[in-house]
Amino acid sequence: MKKQLKALLPMLVAGFMGSAMAATEADVETSFNPYKAGMPSFPGLTVGTVINKANVDQFKDALSVGVYKLIKDGMFEMKVGATTQFTINKPYVDATKANLNKAKLGAKTGELTGYVAGRPFPEEPDAKDPNAGDKLAWNYKYGVNWGDGAIISPFYWKYRNLQTGQVEKTIKYDFHFLNFMHRVKDAPVPDITPNPSGIYRAIYVKANEPQDLKNTQLLIQRFDDDSKMDDAYLYLGFQRRVRRLAQGQVTDSFLGSDLMIEDFEGYNGRVSDMKWTFKGTKNVLLPLWNHDELKLATDMPVEADGYKFVNYSGQGGCFFDATWQLRKVYVLEAVPVNPNHPISKRTFYMDAQLQNLNGAVDIYDRKGEMWKVFSVGKSNADHHLPINKGAGIGVDDAVIMVDVQSKHCTTAQFKGQVDPKRNPANLFQVQNMRGGD
């Protein structure tokens, strides 16, 4: 009898621990509304504060390592705005509640079972949990980001000399995003069929200008099964043929920019490609704002509907002319599994409410030294284009990628639209890329 009890003891303990750590609806509420008990604060930091080279040390602990370095080096001044709610759409929150505790991690990174829809792990990450980093990575993969689908059109991508401000090249793109599975809001729900390959999400990119890059296209297909390598295809207009990209090419400079394909959206790769480590929770300034309250660019082509793009300022014209908010963030480190990867690690400052990975990202070279600083500024959807009102996402509004070693930057200005009609599923097929000029 004693032997039987002894054998049962580990299972009883495991069962107790599992139930003790199970997420609750209160966890869901906190996950989507981390400011219910009040907005975050930091000593001496108030709305209207301007952080610059002279006073940045006072606010160092409220900044990502990379952003602190940029301000300390005198590259830009940061304007502090009020912390606001970025409310996530109700269908996604409801899906999280309906599928609470169904998602389970497998034995290896990149293994997940039982996931249906919503945020897989809404519980507060615990530094004592060795899987906390993996859980946050899954929350990102199956997060809202652009929702079930969206388009950025136009998308202006500029290559800039950080020291002189010279704009070396401007590319005008259309970027499309579509979730094929685990959809919660836009018809069809929950899946787009047929989908025999099990594609979870796809990105389709098409260049419209300049003439030498016109009709260059990129298609990335990510699978629900994280063990499957992404499929990526490139169509070069002047060659008039589609070629499949080797896995290593997603870490090359994309079309001569400061970004690799893997940098898209903060992190554009598989969960299993990285070793994820949760480094703690803190309050950090991130570029979140209301688009309609910003000083907007006057040097950009005018859109027919009157839409104006985010303005840039600072050294080289490489920095948002916009406000940053103090946000609750999860610090998440990602180290490539592949020892030949060109970076040694990324540190993400993950907004606790949105749980995207692109608010602030520090990228380190193979020697462990700071290489690039990446940031995507987001607008509240209700303060953006009318079509985005009620979308319940943070609308990606503008991008900076600063290479601190080569003194160069790439910026992007967006007109993002949550418009299902402009994202037909056939757009995300290889056959579509062969449509001709």
Side-chain angles (χ1 to χ4, degrees):
M1 186 67 178
K2 287 183 179 180
K3 288 183 179 180
Q4 289 174 320
L5 286 172
K6 190 174 181 180
L8 285 170
L9 187 59
M11 290 185 283
L12 291 170
V13 171
F16 172 77
M17 290 295 288
S19 61
M21 293 189 293
T24 66
E25 288 212 5
D27 290 324
V28 175
E29 186 173 346
T30 300
S31 185
F32 290 106
N33 184 10
Y35 309 123
K36 184 179 180 181
M39 296 301 181
S41 62
F42 188 87
L45 191 72
T46 58
V47 174
T49 298
V50 176
I51 302 175
N52 54 34
K53 184 178 181 179
N55 65 359
V56 68
D57 286 337
Q58 180 184 349
F59 305 108
K60 183 176 182 179
D61 289 340
L63 298 166
S64 70
V65 174
V67 169
Y68 166 79
K69 174 177 172 54
L70 295 175
I71 299 176
K72 184 70 174 176
D73 289 348
M75 294 190 188
F76 83 109
E77 295 185 346
M78 177 185 289
K79 306 167 189 175
V80 178
T83 302
T84 59
Q85 293 283 7
F86 273 64
T87 305
I88 304 299
N89 67 74
K90 188 175 183 296
Y92 186 83
V93 176
D94 289 346
T96 303
K97 293 177 180 177
N99 298 293
L100 202 56
N101 299 309
K102 290 182 181 178
K104 305 291 182 185
L105 295 177
K108 299 177 182 178
T109 299
E111 293 180 351
L112 188 73
T113 60
Y115 176 72
V116 179
R119 188 168 283 173
F121 301 103
E123 62 270 24
E124 190 72 12
D126 185 348
K128 296 177 183 177
D129 177 5
N131 296 315
D134 288 343
K135 291 175 181 177
L136 290 174
W138 283 110
N139 285 358
Y140 166 67
K141 175 171 178 173
Y142 291 125
V144 291
N145 208 2
W146 278 105
D148 291 335
I151 176 176
I152 303 173
S153 179
F155 173 129
Y156 286 100
W157 192 329
K158 298 181 180 181
Y159 302 6
R160 300 174 183 264
N161 184 308
L162 180 60
Q163 293 175 306
T164 68
Q166 178 188 1
V167 177
E168 301 160 348
K169 181 186 290 186
T170 300
I171 306 176
K172 185 180 179 182
Y173 294 104
D174 287 338
F175 261 66
H176 298 258
F177 310 88
L178 187 66
N179 289 356
F180 281 76
M181 301 174 66
H182 311 297
R183 298 165 60 85
V184 297
K185 189 170 180 284
D186 300 327
V189 172
D191 301 319
I192 293 172
T193 56
N195 182 16
S197 300
I199 296 169
Y200 160 58
R201 189 170 190 264
I203 300 173
Y204 171 68
V205 181
K206 184 176 182 179
N208 299 309
E209 297 176 9
Q211 188 62 36
D212 63 328
L213 290 175
K214 186 176 181 180
N215 208 35
T216 296
Q217 300 167 65
L218 174 69
L219 175 64
I220 302 167
Q221 297 172 332
R222 175 151 303 123
F223 299 97
D224 198 42
D225 180 354
D226 198 77
S227 68
K228 293 180 67 174
M229 302 290 284
D230 294 352
D231 280 345
Y233 304 88
L234 185 67
Y235 178 89
L236 298 173
F238 63 89
Q239 292 183 345
R240 295 180 179 270
R241 70 181 182 90
V242 176
R243 62 183 178 90
R244 189 166 182 167
L245 295 183
Q247 185 63 20
Q249 290 177 282
V250 301
T251 55
D252 293 339
S253 166
F254 182 63
L255 298 182
S257 73
D258 296 295
L259 282 80
M260 57 184 77
I261 292 173
E262 193 181 81
D263 290 322
F264 290 3
E265 301 186 279
Y267 176 66
N268 182 40
R270 302 179 303 161
V271 173
S272 53
D273 288 333
M274 299 285 155
K275 181 181 185 300
W276 302 90
T277 305
F278 171 58
K279 293 291 189 176
T281 303
K282 61 187 300 190
N283 295 331
V284 172
L285 287 152
L286 296 182
L288 276 70
W289 53 62
N290 293 337
H291 183 98
D292 59 10
E293 296 175 3
L294 298 181
K295 172 189 173 184
L296 298 170
T298 58
D299 61 347
M300 296 289 290
V302 178
E303 289 291 292
D305 60 1
Y307 179 84
K308 293 183 179 180
F309 297 87
V310 172
N311 195 45
Y312 280 75
S313 60
Q315 185 170 320
C318 290
F319 301 94
F320 310 128
D321 187 6
T323 52
W324 295 53
Q325 298 184 9
L326 190 66
R327 309 286 297 180
K328 176 184 176 181
V329 308
Y330 303 131
V331 183
L332 183 61
E333 182 183 275
V335 175
V337 173
N338 180 0
N340 296 316
H341 198 287
I343 71 167
S344 61
K345 69 175 181 179
R346 289 184 180 90
T347 302
F348 301 99
Y349 298 81
M350 182 187 210
D351 185 82
Q353 188 167 40
L354 293 170
Q355 300 213 6
N356 301 147
L357 287 181
N358 52 14
V361 188
D362 298 333
I363 303 171
Y364 295 83
D365 66 15
R366 293 178 71 171
K367 297 179 181 177
E369 297 175 355
M370 181 70 68
W371 179 14
K372 293 185 284 192
V373 181
F374 182 65
S375 187
V376 177
K378 293 178 181 287
S379 172
N380 187 302
D382 295 340
H383 291 267
H384 203 261
L385 288 163
I387 197 169
N388 295 330
K389 189 173 179 62
I393 65 170
V395 177
D396 288 3
D397 217 14
V399 167
I400 59 172
M401 175 68 93
V402 181
D403 186 328
V404 298
Q405 295 184 7
S406 69
K407 307 299 181 186
H408 198 268
C409 78
T410 300
T411 63
Q413 289 149 293
F414 295 164
K415 183 182 178 182
Q417 301 158 77
V418 181
D419 186 356
K421 296 189 297 296
R422 300 187 66 182
N423 275 316
N426 62 8
L427 196 64
F428 301 86
Q429 298 175 358
V430 177
Q431 295 86 331
N432 172 69
M433 304 175 78
R434 301 190 178 102
D437 298 286

